[in-house]
Amino acid sequence: MKKFLVLAFCVSACFANNQVICNNANDCYNIGIAKAKEMQIAESIKYLEKSCELNYMSACMELGTAYIYSAKSKEEFTKGINYYMLACNNNEPISCHNIAYMLEQSQNPALMNEIKSYYEKSCNLRYLNACTNLGNIYYTKENNKERAKMLYEKACNLGEAIACNNLGNFYYYTNKSLAKEYVRKACNLGYQVACEYKID
């Protein structure tokens, strides 16, 4: 009964144009409605669309993800990309990261500048995974190790565990004590691979 009352409140708030609670209505659905998977996604999309219309950019980003991962046609997939673009153009960092990541999976070298641009925008908006992924591009694909190190340091200093682990790898041959320090930090931040990493 309590879950039903919370859900009813979220639904009524959404259609009363309360944009923050409208996004929470989607959370209520994901947690509280035991429906078949596609029906759940359909309900989720309905409420996220309402929230996105009210310029709540996190909802637009989630809407992009919902369309992309449930797409049954090219049109639905394209609709998801368009929601990512809308959110990214309005400085929602995860959507910028996701655009870059999807472009990167195409493995098309002609898109590299565009990929880096989206990752950089996301990183500048403090989405730390984007800083790490951009660092990986500079390190592995462009052999710009100093630029990679700067990006790893930025992300690691703000608590991104994989970036710290990458710095451990970066210093492995030149500064073992510093390498150990970064790997230890990555482990302490919850990156299990780093906890099993032995530096002699």
Side-chain angles (χ1 to χ4, degrees), residues 110-124:
L111 297 175
M112 188 52 67
N113 286 338
E114 192 174 358
I115 292 165
K116 290 193 297 183
S117 176
Y118 280 114
Y119 274 143
E120 186 164 11
K121 181 172 183 177
S122 182
C123 177
N124 289 340

Side-chain angles (χ1 to χ4, degrees), residues 59-124:
C60 302
M61 180 275 295
E62 295 288 357
L63 192 53
T65 301
Y67 270 112
I68 287 167
Y69 288 100
S70 66
K72 294 181 176 63
S73 67
K74 182 179 179 180
E75 288 73 20
E76 288 182 351
F77 186 85
T78 301
K79 196 169 185 178
I81 296 296
N82 289 339
Y83 276 117
Y84 274 164
M85 294 293 294
L86 171 65
C88 180
N89 289 339
N90 284 278
N91 296 326
E92 198 293 310
I94 299 175
S95 55
C96 301
H97 168 274
N98 290 353
I99 293 168
Y101 182 80
M102 292 175 69
L103 291 173
E104 191 175 7
Q105 300 316 297
S106 71
Q107 299 185 343
N108 183 350
L111 297 175
M112 188 52 67
N113 286 338
E114 192 174 358
I115 292 165
K116 290 193 297 183
S117 176
Y118 280 114
Y119 274 143
E120 186 164 11
K121 181 172 183 177
S122 182
C123 177
N124 289 340

